[in-house]
């Protein structure tokens, strides 16, 4: 039987397979399969010469590559043939049926013509005898007396006894002897016709008897094959006898029909209501169906060889489709609708398992037929399961107190996550713990589906669920201004995270899930993990290489969702700093412009908004050190992002700069000094902790812009600004007061302090930029 086994590999020329093409491997990779196989299709192709031409100068490694290359070509050719057959199935089935019907009609015409030929010859002989005997009545009487006196020959006796003998053999079901008798009669009839040892009437009678009994024998065999009690050896014998009678198409059709009838009879005792779950029903049904297909293949091969391979493929495909529809109706439909992914996976695994055994034995690919029909039900189960995760997480988030805890006692945790390897259990809030456990269960169920080329959208679906959870966390921020869009029946009600500790816990949930737990869980889907490599501690270093590009892209999408929560967090805290509860701004141009209108002596210190910014950053950094254990980089980037949000707001506030640069009252010396002090304060407290290089440059640009606005009044900024040491001392004094850390010695800077040196350099560089 021609192989229809699926193979998705595509051959590429191995190195050394052809020395002339040693540098053109990349070009040959694009050559079409038809071009690769062209050399093997020529009439003059000599396998020995081809191998000799390839292997004369090859070493063992190159010969092995050549063998692999030829094997890949063989698989690719088989795959192309399978695709071609399946692509033209409709026309192929119709043509096969028409050919079978035509063969049956031709056989009937042949038998009818044989009978008519014998009848015509008999009539012609009778007319000839009457004409010859009309001349002499005496001569005829003489001939009759001579015939009556002559003893019949052995052949004439056998011909006379043949009909009765065949009737006895047929009645006693002595099939082989009856077939031998018919073959012997055919041989004697041909010999008698050639040697004229029988009269025309006797020959015609013999041929008619052979034709009649052949048809009668065929009908009797067909009737026996249709009996439910006929199976095994008896069925094969009846089919073989029909084949010997010259009715092969009918014999094969009856063979498949008998197996189909027996399968339907055996399936009557399998009822879905008698089983506790769909897996048992699928297993029982699968056993019957694929056993029947295997037995039909075995009987057909034993009797007909590969003569009716195409009809076998068609019949087997029809049986597989009928089986798949039954499983969908009685097992998959209910479990898929209820989100019972594990039951759906088990049913599919059982069916594909039996199908794989059949493919391994007979090289008949039916898995693609089953997978195509199972796919809608499996995807429905996937969607329902993801929807259940989303709804359950939303319900828990509505009651979550946003307190980070270790996993509940007795809860199942993955022994392959990095946190467990390091001996540290993940600390999450209650909703995040539940979300992670449900994701673990989900991936354990989805893993087998991916190996069967199902469930390909599961990672995208889980990403959507994670985005929904992130939206819930954003809604938990106080006075969140983000317009979240939670599709479906998921409730937007969620408990508000009132304190900074609770709000940082929201970010801890998101970052730990996205950066560590979910990527580790998705590793269960990789072939390396499923093969057991990840269970070997010595091979855990292969984990990073095992991540396919799709999984890396998936992790980047998870991180973008976390960034959305982080930006909402920073924006909300920045707004709390910039605006009052009444909607007034704490960072307007008037706070700098009005300073020169006050005649009282100034007590110099950074503006309250920037002092509050530093206090908030310092306070959050202390909380984050306990929450983001082992993930300090995330906490640092979070603080930098908060500083950046405030600074960029100032940089992009058009009304602020319109008042500074084009307002009715210009920026005065005291206002410039206060603005310069505020910016130097941000640079000093943010150096190395809360300030990125990008934001540092933005501050430099802001200072230059303010100094340029002041220079427009005709006054040199350097003539009114104090020395750099003054700005450093005032800023450092405020930092020490807020942080609670005493300054060095009697309040002077330590000249050898790296921080002091860097800060002084930063102030000097900003001053020089502004002056220029």
């Amino acid at each position: 039987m021609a192989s229809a086994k699926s193979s998705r590999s595509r051959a590429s020329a191995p190195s050394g397979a052809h020395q002339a093409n040693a540098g053109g491997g990349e070009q040959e990779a694009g050559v079409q399969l038809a071009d690769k196989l062209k050399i093997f299709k020529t009439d003059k192709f000599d396998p020995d010469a081809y191998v000799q031409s390839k292997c004369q100068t090859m070493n063992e490694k190159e010969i092995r590559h050549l063998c692999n290359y030829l094997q890949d070509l063989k698989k690719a050719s088989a795959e192309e043939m399978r695709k071609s057959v399946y692509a033209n199935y409709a026309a192929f089935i119709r043509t096969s049926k028409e050919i079978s019907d035509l063969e049956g009609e031709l056989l009937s015409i042949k038998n009818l013509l044989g009978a008519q030929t014998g009848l015509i010859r008999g009539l012609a002989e009778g007319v000839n005898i009457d004409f010859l005997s009309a001349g002499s009545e005496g001569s005829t009487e003489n001939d009759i007396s001579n015939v009556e006196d002559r003893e019949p020959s052995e052949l004439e006796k056998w011909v006379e006894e043949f009909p009765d003998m065949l009737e006895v053999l047929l009645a006693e079901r002595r099939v082989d002897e009856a077939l031998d008798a018919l073959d012997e009669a055919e041989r004697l009839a041909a010999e008698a016709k050639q040697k004229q040892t029988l009269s025309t009437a006797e020959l015609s009678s013999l041929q008619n008897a052979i034709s009649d009994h052949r048809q009668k024998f065929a009908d009797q065999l067909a009737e026996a094959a249709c009996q439910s009690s006929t199976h095994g050896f008896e069925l094969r014998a009846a089919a073989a006898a029909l084949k010997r009678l010259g009715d092969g198409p009918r014999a094969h059709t009856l063979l498949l029909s008998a197996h189909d009838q027996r399968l339907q009879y055996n399936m009557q005792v399998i009822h879905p209501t008698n089983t506790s779950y769909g897996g048992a029903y699928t297993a029982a049904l699968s056993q019957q169906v694929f056993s029947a297909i295997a037995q039909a293949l075995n009987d057909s091969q034993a009797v007909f060889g590969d003569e009716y391979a195409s009809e076998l493929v068609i019949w087997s495909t029809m049986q597989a489709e009928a089986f798949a529809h039954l499983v969908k109706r009685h097992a998959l439909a209910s479990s898929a609708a209820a989100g019972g992914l594990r039951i759906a996976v088990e049913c599919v695994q059982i069916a594909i398992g039996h199908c794989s055994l059949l493919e391994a034995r007979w090289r008949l690919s039916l898995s693609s037929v089953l997978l195509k029909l199972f796919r809608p039900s499996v995807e429905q189960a996937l969607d329902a399961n993801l929807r259940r995760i989303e709804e359950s997480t939303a319900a828990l988030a509505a009651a979550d107190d946003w307190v980070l805890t270790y996993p509940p006692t007795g809860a199942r945790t993955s022994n392959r996550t990095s946190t467990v390897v390091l001996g540290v259990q993940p600390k999450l809030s209650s909703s995040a713990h539940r979300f992670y456990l449900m994701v673990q269960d989900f991936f354990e169920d989805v893993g087998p589906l991916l190996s069967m080329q199902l469930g390909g959208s599961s990672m995208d679906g889980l990403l959507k669920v994670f985005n929904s959870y992130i939206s819930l966390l954003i809604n938990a921020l106080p006075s969140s201004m983000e317009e979240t869009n939670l599709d479906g029946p998921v409730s937007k009600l969620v408990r508000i995270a009132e304190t900074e500790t609770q709000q940082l816990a929201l970010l801890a949930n998101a970052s730990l899930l996205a950066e560590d737990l979910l990527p580790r869980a998705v590793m269960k889907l990789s072939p390396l993990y499923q093969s057991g490599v990840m269970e070997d501690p010595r091979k855990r270093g292969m984990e990073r290489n095992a991540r396919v590009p799709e999984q890396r892209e998936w992790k980047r999408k998870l991180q973008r969702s976390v960034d959305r929560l982080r930006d909402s967090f920073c924006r909300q805290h920045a707004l709390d700093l910039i605006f009052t509860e009444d909607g007034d701004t704490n960072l307007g141009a008037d706070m700098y412009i009005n300073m020169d209108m006050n005649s009282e002596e100034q007590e110099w210190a950074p503006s309250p908004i920037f002092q509050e910014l530093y206090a908030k950053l310092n306070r959050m950094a202390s909380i984050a050190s306990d929450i983001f254990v082992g993930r300090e980089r995330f906490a640092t980037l979070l603080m930098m992002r908060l500083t950046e949000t405030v600074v960029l707001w100032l940089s992009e506030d058009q009304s602020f700069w319109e008042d500074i640069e084009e307002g009715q009252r210009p920026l005065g010396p005291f206002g410039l000094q206060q603005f310069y002090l505020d910016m130097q304060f941000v640079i000093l407290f943010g150096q190395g902790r809360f300030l990125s290089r990008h934001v540092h440059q933005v501050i430099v640009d802001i200072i230059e812009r303010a100094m340029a606005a002041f220079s427009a009044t005709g006054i040199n900024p350097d003539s009114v600004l104090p020395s750099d040491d003054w700005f450093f001392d005032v800023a450092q004094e405020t930092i020490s007061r807020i942080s609670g850390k005493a300054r060095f010695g009697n309040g002077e800077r330590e000249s050898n302090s790296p921080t002091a040196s860097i800060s002084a350099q930063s102030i000097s560089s900003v001053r020089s930029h502004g002056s220029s």
Side-chain angles (χ1 to χ4, degrees):
M1 181 184 301
S3 172
K5 190 173 184 180
S6 174
S7 173
R8 301 188 181 275
S9 62
R10 285 294 179 268
S12 60
S15 59
H18 201 301
Q19 292 182 350
N21 292 335
E26 295 181 358
Q27 295 178 357
E28 188 174 2
V31 177
Q32 296 294 329
L33 178 63
D35 295 334
K36 293 181 180 181
L37 298 176
K38 187 179 296 182
I39 187 175
F40 303 103
K41 296 180 179 179
T42 60
D43 296 335
K44 298 180 180 180
F45 175 71
D46 186 355
D48 295 332
Y50 177 80
V51 173
Q52 288 295 329
S53 65
K54 296 288 184 181
C55 301
Q56 281 182 348
T57 59
M58 285 186 179
N59 55 32
E60 181 181 354
K61 183 178 180 180
E62 292 173 335
I63 292 175
R64 190 178 297 111
H65 278 301
L66 176 61
C67 292
N68 293 336
Y69 172 63
L70 294 176
Q71 287 292 336
D72 290 341
L73 280 181
K74 179 181 178 182
K75 293 178 181 178
S77 176
E79 174 67 11
E80 290 297 326
M81 184 192 70
R82 187 187 69 82
K83 288 183 178 180
S84 177
V85 170
Y86 277 102
N88 299 281
Y89 248 172
F92 187 72
I93 293 173
R94 184 175 62 255
T95 304
S96 298
K97 290 182 177 179
E98 291 176 354
I99 291 174
S100 298
D101 295 340
L102 184 60
E103 289 178 348
E105 292 176 359
L106 289 175
L107 182 62
S108 299
I109 292 174
K110 178 183 176 182
N111 294 335
L112 182 59
L113 288 176
Q116 290 179 342
T117 301
L119 179 60
I120 292 173
R121 287 179 179 175
L123 292 174
E125 182 69 19
V127 171
N128 187 39
I129 291 174
D130 291 341
F131 176 77
L132 292 176
S133 61
S136 174
E137 181 180 351
S139 175
T140 301
E141 292 176 355
N142 255 350
D143 292 338
I144 293 175
S145 62
N146 290 336
V147 170
E148 290 177 352
D149 294 339
R150 182 173 61 86
E151 288 290 331
S153 65
E154 294 295 328
L155 177 59
E156 293 172 341
K157 292 181 180 179
W158 190 91
V159 170
E160 185 178 352
E161 296 173 355
F162 171 71
D164 296 334
M165 175 187 64
L166 203 55
E167 289 288 349
V168 172
L169 293 176
L170 294 180
E172 296 178 355
R173 296 184 179 274
R174 294 155 63 180
V175 177
D176 292 336
E177 295 182 34
L179 290 172
D180 292 340
L182 285 171
D183 291 342
E184 179 66 15
E186 291 277 6
R187 186 187 64 81
L188 291 177
E191 182 179 336
K193 181 179 180 180
Q194 181 180 4
K195 297 181 179 181
Q196 297 183 354
T197 54
L198 290 176
S199 65
T200 303
E202 290 174 333
L203 181 60
S204 177
S205 176
L206 177 59
Q207 290 175 337
N208 291 335
I210 293 174
S211 177
D212 293 343
H213 285 83
R214 183 180 294 276
Q215 185 63 43
K216 183 177 180 180
F217 193 18
D219 294 340
Q220 182 177 326
L221 290 172
E223 182 181 356
C226 294
Q227 299 296 323
S228 59
S229 59
T230 304
H231 56 86
F233 174 77
E234 295 178 354
L235 180 60
R236 289 193 296 271
L242 273 173
K243 180 185 176 184
R244 283 186 62 182
L245 290 172
D247 205 353
R250 184 185 184 188
H252 194 264
T253 301
L254 289 172
L255 178 70
L256 297 181
S257 177
H259 281 288
D260 182 68
Q261 291 178 6
R262 186 167 184 81
L263 172 61
Q264 299 302 322
Y265 175 79
N266 292 336
M267 288 169 54
Q268 292 178 2
V269 298
I270 304 175
H271 301 289
T273 55
N274 293 340
T275 56
S276 57
Y277 69 107
Y281 171 76
T282 304
L285 192 65
S286 180
Q287 177 70 30
Q288 291 293 338
V289 170
F290 289 103
S291 295
I293 294 176
Q295 188 59 50
L297 292 172
N298 183 68
D299 290 348
S300 177
Q301 185 73 21
V303 177
F304 302 97
D306 293 336
E307 185 177 355
Y308 297 98
S310 58
E311 285 83 352
L312 272 176
V313 172
I314 296 171
W315 182 83
S316 301
T317 302
M318 292 173 59
Q319 298 299 326
E321 290 175 347
F323 161 75
H325 286 302
L326 286 174
V327 172
K328 286 179 60 178
R329 185 184 308 124
H330 299 298
L332 289 181
S334 57
S335 61
L341 183 58
R342 184 162 298 178
I343 296 177
V345 171
E346 182 180 358
C347 292
V348 175
Q349 276 188 296
I350 291 172
I352 298 299
H354 283 100
C355 187
S356 299
L357 294 175
L358 185 68
E359 292 177 354
R361 171 65 178 85
W362 292 102
R363 303 175 65 85
L364 177 65
S365 179
L366 296 176
S367 298
S368 58
V369 177
L370 297 181
L371 295 178
K372 179 181 178 181
L373 296 173
F374 287 153
R375 187 179 304 277
S377 297
V378 171
E379 291 179 350
Q380 182 184 4
L382 283 172
D383 293 340
N385 201 266
L386 290 170
R387 188 164 55 252
R388 180 177 58 83
I389 295 176
E390 186 176 357
E391 293 171 352
S392 299
T393 306
L396 290 171
D400 201 332
D401 56 5
W402 308 120
V403 175
L404 301 181
T405 61
Y406 292 111
T409 304
R412 182 180 62 82
T413 58
S414 173
N415 60 355
R416 298 183 178 92
T417 59
S418 63
T419 52
V420 177
V421 172
L422 295 175
V424 180
Q425 294 287 340
K427 291 185 69 175
L428 300 168
S429 69
S430 59
S431 62
H433 274 304
R434 181 57 182 164
F435 178 83
Y436 178 50
L437 289 176
M438 289 189 292
V439 168
Q440 284 183 299
D441 292 337
F442 176 78
F443 278 131
E444 287 181 359
D445 294 339
V446 170
L449 292 178
L450 293 183
S451 65
M452 295 182 290
Q453 303 171 7
L454 293 175
S457 61
S458 57
M459 293 180 65
D460 292 337
L462 189 64
L463 179 63
K464 181 180 178 182
V465 173
F466 182 72
N467 285 333
S468 177
Y469 183 58
I470 292 296
S471 297
L472 288 171
L473 299 182
I474 292 174
N475 281 347
L477 293 172
S479 304
S480 177
M481 297 182 64
E482 170 157 322
E483 291 292 336
T484 56
N485 181 20
L486 295 179
D487 298 328
V490 179
S491 172
K492 295 184 180 181
L493 296 177
V494 62
R495 177 176 288 186
I496 301 299
E498 300 288 351
T499 67
E500 291 176 347
T501 301
Q502 290 176 317
Q503 294 164 24
L504 288 172
L506 302 178
L507 288 157
N509 283 340
S511 63
L512 184 57
L513 286 170
E515 295 178 1
D516 187 47
L517 298 181
L518 294 184
R520 295 281 176 168
V522 82
M523 286 301 299
K524 295 180 179 181
L525 306 183
S526 68
L528 183 62
Y529 186 99
Q530 293 177 358
S531 62
V533 172
M534 297 305 298
E535 297 178 1
D536 189 347
R538 297 171 298 178
K539 299 181 180 179
R540 287 196 180 102
M542 302 174 65
E543 174 185 359
R544 185 177 300 275
N545 296 329
R547 294 178 179 175
V548 296
E550 292 79 4
Q551 291 176 345
R552 290 196 294 269
E553 176 61 25
W554 187 73
K555 184 177 180 180
R556 283 192 288 269
K557 292 179 180 179
L558 291 177
Q559 189 58 50
R560 284 196 286 270
S561 297
V562 177
D563 292 343
R564 187 161 58 92
L565 173 61
R566 182 202 61 190
D567 292 344
S568 296
F569 171 87
C570 294
R571 182 168 57 253
Q572 185 58 42
H573 281 274
L575 293 174
D576 292 341
L577 290 170
I578 296 171
F579 294 99
T580 65
E581 294 182 357
D582 298 330
D584 296 332
T585 180
N586 293 323
L587 188 58
D590 291 342
M591 62 184 286
Y592 296 108
I593 294 175
N594 293 337
M595 290 188 68
D596 288 276
M597 299 177 62
N598 189 355
S599 59
E600 298 179 0
E601 184 179 355
Q602 299 286 342
E603 293 183 4
W604 293 101
S607 298
I609 181 176
F610 294 106
Q611 292 189 46
E612 178 59 28
L613 172 62
Y614 173 62
K616 182 183 287 289
L617 290 170
N618 204 45
R619 186 171 59 251
M620 285 186 175
S622 177
I623 299 173
S625 63
D626 296 329
I627 292 179
F628 297 96
V629 177
R631 291 176 290 128
E632 290 77 8
R633 183 175 181 274
F634 180 86
T636 301
L637 294 176
L638 176 64
M639 301 300 112
M640 288 183 175
R641 182 62 175 170
L642 178 55
T643 306
E644 178 183 359
T645 304
V646 176
V647 173
L648 289 180
W649 183 280
L650 176 61
S651 174
E652 298 170 357
D653 187 357
Q654 296 298 324
S655 62
F656 178 91
W657 290 106
E658 287 177 0
D659 292 340
I660 292 291
E661 297 173 337
E662 304 173 2
Q664 295 180 354
R665 291 175 296 168
L667 180 65
F670 287 165
L672 177 63
Q673 185 174 344
Q674 181 65 52
F675 186 82
Y676 194 90
L677 175 60
D678 289 342
M679 295 300 100
Q680 294 301 336
F681 177 65
V682 174
I683 291 176
L684 190 60
F685 76 66
Q687 194 74 38
R689 292 185 65 194
F690 309 131
L691 200 65
S692 65
R693 293 181 179 180
H694 169 68
V695 178
H696 184 280
Q697 184 60 46
V698 172
I699 294 175
V700 171
D701 295 339
I702 290 175
I703 294 175
E704 290 179 353
R705 188 172 182 181
M707 294 179 73
F710 181 81
S711 299
T713 63
I715 305 175
N716 185 357
D718 289 332
S719 64
V720 298
L721 292 177
S723 66
D724 293 339
D725 289 342
W726 182 87
F727 287 106
F728 181 87
D729 289 339
V730 175
Q732 186 63 50
E733 180 69 29
T734 306
I735 291 174
S736 300
R737 175 173 53 80
I738 294 176
S739 64
K741 297 179 181 178
R743 298 185 64 184
F744 298 106
N746 58 359
E748 299 296 327
R749 282 179 291 162
E750 183 180 358
S751 59
N752 295 328
S753 171
T755 304
S757 176
I758 293 172
S759 301
Q761 292 175 9
S762 299
I763 293 176
S764 299
S765 64
V766 171
R767 185 75 167 265
S768 62
H769 275 288
S771 299
S772 61

